[in-house]
Amino acid sequence: VGRARKLYEGAVTAKSSHAAAWHGWGLLEKRQGNLRRAADIFTKGIRNTEDNANPYLYQSLGLVLEQMGSIDEARQWYMRGTKASPLVSNSDALWHTWAKMEGKHGNEDVVRYLYQKALSVNPKSRYTYLSWGVWEKEQGNYEKAEQLFKDGHKLNPRDAAILQAWALLEYEIGNVTRARELLQKGTEADSKHIPAWQAWGVLEYLEGDYTMARKLFQQGVWAGPNSRDVSRVFQAWAVLEKREKNYNLARTLFSCAVKADSRSEASWLAWAQMEDDLGLTARADELRQYNQVEQQKMEMSATLGAGGGTSLGPLNVSPDSVLAPIFRGVQSWINKQFGTEDKNKATAEASQAATAATPTMDHKTAKEAGEIPTRLGGDIVDQTAKRCDDDAAAAAGGTVNANSLRD
């Protein structure tokens, strides 16, 4: 990291108008958790590139300020960016990111105006259709949301995230068959889109078809075994097995979930609750302690700029831990599942090992069980529109009206 800083500093010293160097340096500091430093670097980059304004400097500055809770300041820089140059004002990324922020802190007229501006400069923007549609759904405007998803899908037929979001809407209003069709279409459009597989698996779980749910979860694992996102699939699958009283398999799956993403608080706590329910309080307490350690690590630093891949690597567990036998045994299960060349055989083996293949909960019982593994569809926008880079929640800020934006 120190070497990278020196190289970036050398680059902007040699050429102060080097927008990419300013932007890269700012992102480096942001990943290190140095938000104030990142904001200062993005600001310097903007001031040194006024003759050739760069939209991504404005966008990244706005995101960092929002993350810091400086909503009004972020809003001012977004507005300034849209007037900086034709290149910046024609950046759908800038308009879209601003719209997302206002969706959390502004009024509805402003949000719709900004999303419309994003589409006016890029009529096919899948990020905008997805984000806008999800926002409208959250406001209870289902017809508007559905139309946005339809339009976005028509222009981006291979985008699984839009289909996933549309399926979630259909499921919420009771159109189960239509939701299932859309999720199937999403996995066909992009077989590597883990959230679509996970969402479809959860749907079948909620509808009581456990055999189908298991098959879909297995496909979700194969879609990206080296991705942190696969943790959600393992967690959902683990909860299913817990419901079926397949506790050993549930432990294996929970273990895989936290090995794929040790930051997954939901996985740690769901696992701990299962152990508590079984009367294994020492094991449950240790799981909660591990979760606290991982959450503290996240708070202390932004994982030192680490990426999203994991490859289900080892988790540091003391040999004296009551969890040690579980983590020793799970690696052989992982090797068996991911080491075979015959994926269809592995899928069949996983389903066979899990259950006798007969659902034990009817539609109503499954929904009322209160054990939904993860929200159907997961965090749709954060899963797909990663260029917005706005995972952190921002503090509340002031508002602005649409008329002031048009002036």
Side-chain angles (χ1 to χ4, degrees), residues 87-288:
L87 176 65
V88 181
S89 63
N90 286 322
S91 168
D92 65 298
L94 184 65
W95 289 106
H96 169 234
T97 308
W98 186 4
K100 286 195 68 179
M101 186 190 78
E102 296 295 351
K104 291 176 275 187
H105 307 288
N107 64 54
E108 294 185 1
D109 289 341
V110 170
V111 176
R112 293 190 178 96
Y113 172 77
L114 293 172
Y115 276 130
Q116 191 60 59
K117 286 291 293 184
L119 289 181
S120 71
V121 298
N122 183 0
K124 292 184 64 175
S125 174
R126 61 193 180 102
Y127 300 104
T128 301
Y129 279 110
L130 174 61
S131 180
W132 191 359
V134 170
W135 180 80
E136 292 288 1
K137 183 182 72 67
E138 291 172 348
Q139 311 310 304
N141 302 320
Y142 292 109
E143 290 186 6
K144 176 65 174 177
E146 183 178 15
Q147 189 60 53
L148 286 164
F149 293 143
K150 284 182 178 179
D151 293 344
H153 172 61
K154 184 177 180 180
L155 294 168
N156 303 276
R158 306 297 298 174
D159 190 275
I162 292 176
L163 289 165
Q164 178 199 354
W166 188 358
L168 174 57
L169 182 151
E170 296 293 347
Y171 190 80
E172 288 190 3
I173 61 178
N175 298 333
V176 178
T177 301
R178 181 58 173 154
R180 184 180 286 116
E181 291 172 351
L182 290 168
L183 287 169
Q184 180 176 355
K185 199 171 183 179
T187 58
E188 291 170 353
D190 182 359
S191 63
K192 298 297 184 182
H193 192 265
I194 297 174
W197 288 111
Q198 188 260 4
W200 191 2
V202 172
L203 182 149
E204 299 300 348
Y205 166 86
L206 294 173
E207 295 305 306
D209 190 344
Y210 286 12
T211 302
M212 185 61 176
R214 289 183 178 101
K215 292 178 180 178
L216 293 167
F217 289 146
Q218 180 69 76
Q219 291 300 318
V221 172
W222 285 123
N226 295 327
S227 168
R228 273 205 177 98
D229 289 344
V230 79
S231 173
R232 298 167 182 258
V233 180
F234 280 125
Q235 182 210 347
W237 192 353
V239 173
L240 183 157
E241 300 304 341
K242 173 190 170 184
R243 291 292 309 172
E244 286 289 85
K245 295 181 170 51
N246 297 323
Y247 298 120
N248 287 333
L249 180 55
R251 284 191 186 98
T252 298
L253 293 165
F254 277 130
S255 178
C256 287
V258 298
K259 285 167 76 69
D261 184 2
S262 61
R263 307 171 306 173
S264 175
E265 185 170 24
S267 297
W268 286 110
L269 296 182
W271 186 2
Q273 185 60 55
M274 183 186 80
E275 302 296 358
D276 254 342
D277 294 342
L278 294 174
L280 302 172
T281 55
R283 184 177 288 173
D285 289 343
E286 191 165 355
L287 287 165
R288 293 190 182 96

